[in-house]
Amino acid sequence: MKSSERNFARRIDLTSLQLFVAVCELGSIGKAAEREFIAASAVSKRLSDLEATVDTQLLYRHSRGVRLTPAGESLLHHARTVLYGLEKMQGELSEYADGVRGHVRIHANISAIVQFLPEDLGAFTREHEQIKIDLEEHLSPDVMQAVSEGAADLGICHVRDSASLGTPLQTLPYREDRLVLVLPHDHPLAGQSEASFADVLDHDIVGLHANSSISLAMQQAAAAAGRTLKLRIQVTGLDAMYRMIDNGLGVGVLPDRAFALMQGVGQLQAVRLTDDWAHRELRIVARDFQALPMTARLLAEHLRASQPPRQPEPPARAGARPEPHPTSVTAVAPATPTRAQALPA
């Protein structure tokens, strides 16, 4: 850290940042003073000192309250990040006093959470009982953004180019899956052993969230064919999609193992998609694997080692249920992290 950066950090007062955020949230110095149990004049003085520290105006003051300047909007974003980080730090440190000796934050997409992470994280926690894991579900782009910004130690998602994030990310292979077309037994495509996505475009589709990796891949495939998707409904989870398809609202595209795990919910079958983008790779994402805390590195190594040996795919059969991937932990040779590159969505 440069000398000027150190001096700036020393001049920033955390209490003033808290009061600034309170004023922004309530739109009034008086209301913020009431909520924080401090005199309004003291709040106003701290805000003036904060503006002097950053050498720019942060608030437009008027008779009905305050309004943020462009600089104030920027500071509000950073102040919330700093205060959130302090809350997380306090929470994690308090857990050490309660006996928790490590803490790893993971953001993962729904495909990883549904198909692979329950078994892999369960095996890890049985080996390392004193390490706490916080897992949050997000869309793949949001997973990469969280890792880039430091909100997560590790991410697991389908990786796209990370150059736009500002922070280059490192990745390691985790698992592979294949997308299948899921439909009722009486659907016109049900008798086929395989199909291309172009065959689906004439039928109603039950889709996932518009920014999910599956939805983005479907949209790109439709655009490449000069067609549009006949989206009848969009849902936020694979289980909801499965039930919508089972009740005749359309067909859907799911990862093969997710389909296998939900068998018994309805009377559906899977047809193998032949498109190249239907074969996908989930990757473990970090800003720098070597710079991770020891607990996060242990988990990354465990997840990397849980990848089963690649098996040749058997020919698909009409109505056949895809076999779930092995869930036992199998050691594989370590791989060197690579910078995130453009991969199929």
Side-chain angles (χ1 to χ4, degrees):
M1 182 181 291
K2 297 178 182 178
S3 175
S4 59
E5 294 172 340
R6 285 195 297 269
N7 291 336
F8 179 78
R10 289 167 182 164
R11 295 198 309 272
I12 290 291
D13 179 79
L14 292 177
T15 301
S16 296
L17 283 182
Q18 289 177 309
L19 292 173
F20 173 73
V21 171
V23 169
C24 294
E25 291 175 346
L26 298 174
S28 164
I29 292 176
K31 291 179 180 178
E34 290 178 10
R35 192 181 81 175
E36 301 297 325
F37 302 101
I38 188 173
S41 58
V43 175
S44 182
K45 176 65 166 60
R46 282 186 174 274
L47 293 178
S48 297
D49 290 344
L50 187 58
E51 288 178 322
T53 298
V54 299
D55 196 24
T56 188
Q57 185 178 0
L58 300 173
L59 298 168
Y60 296 119
R61 294 163 174 81
H62 51 81
S63 59
R64 290 175 295 178
V66 297
R67 183 165 55 88
L68 285 167
T69 68
E73 292 178 357
S74 177
L75 179 62
L76 177 61
H77 167 74
H78 291 293
R80 282 173 168 161
T81 300
V82 169
L83 295 175
Y84 175 75
L86 286 172
E87 290 177 3
K88 293 286 288 184
M89 180 176 68
Q90 180 186 23
E92 291 181 17
L93 290 175
S94 66
E95 288 168 353
Y96 281 92
D98 296 333
V100 176
R101 297 180 183 175
H103 198 145
V104 186
R105 302 163 300 166
I106 307 178
H107 287 195
N109 67 2
I110 190 171
S111 294
I113 290 175
V114 170
Q115 297 184 96
F116 308 115
L117 284 176
E119 293 85 357
D120 292 344
L121 294 182
F124 181 81
T125 55
R126 286 190 291 273
E127 295 176 8
H128 306 279
E129 295 181 355
Q130 298 302 314
I131 296 179
K132 179 180 177 181
I133 297 175
D134 284 343
L135 174 63
E136 295 183 19
E137 177 194 318
H138 294 279
L139 299 174
S140 290
D142 296 332
V143 171
M144 296 181 65
Q145 187 72 41
V147 174
S148 176
E149 293 177 350
D153 301 307
L154 296 172
I156 301 177
C157 61
H158 300 102
V159 176
R160 287 180 169 273
D161 186 6
S162 66
S164 61
L165 299 176
T167 302
L169 301 178
Q170 294 181 348
T171 74
L172 288 170
Y174 175 49
R175 295 295 184 95
E176 295 180 355
D177 64 13
R178 173 167 284 279
L179 298 177
V180 294
L181 178 65
V182 178
L183 34 72
H185 285 285
D186 58 355
H187 193 274
L189 297 177
Q192 302 180 196
S193 61
E194 59 183 29
S196 70
F197 188 69
D199 300 330
V200 182
L201 296 175
D202 293 326
H203 303 275
D204 288 336
I205 295 174
V206 178
L208 284 172
H209 189 288
N211 290 325
S212 69
S213 58
I214 293 178
S215 289
L216 292 173
M218 291 167 58
Q219 292 167 21
Q220 292 170 0
R227 304 281 298 279
T228 57
L229 298 176
K230 297 176 67 175
L231 279 174
R232 188 169 186 181
I233 188 171
Q234 284 184 294
V235 295
T236 58
L238 298 181
D239 53 346
M241 178 193 285
Y242 199 95
R243 294 194 62 206
M244 294 293 179
I245 299 169
D246 188 44
N247 283 277
L249 293 176
V251 301
V253 175
L254 291 175
D256 53 358
R257 190 167 190 267
F259 173 77
L261 291 171
M262 286 189 282
Q263 286 297 285
V265 175
Q267 299 298 315
L268 301 178
Q269 72 175 71
V271 174
R272 181 175 178 270
L273 283 174
T274 57
D275 304 78
D276 290 341
W277 55 267
H279 179 263
R280 310 186 305 165
E281 184 180 22
L282 285 162
R283 297 186 73 86
I284 309 166
V285 182
R287 297 176 73 173
D288 184 345
F289 285 99
Q290 296 303 314
L292 287 172
M294 178 57 70
T295 51
R297 273 187 285 162
L298 280 173
L299 180 55
E301 291 167 3
H302 172 85
L303 295 175
R304 175 68 183 93
S306 67
Q307 184 182 34
R310 185 175 299 181
Q311 299 291 334
E313 293 186 2
R317 292 178 290 108
R321 296 178 180 178
E323 293 296 326
H325 294 286
T327 57
S328 60
V329 177
T330 306
V332 296
T336 302
T338 60
R339 295 294 179 187
Q341 299 174 342
L343 296 173

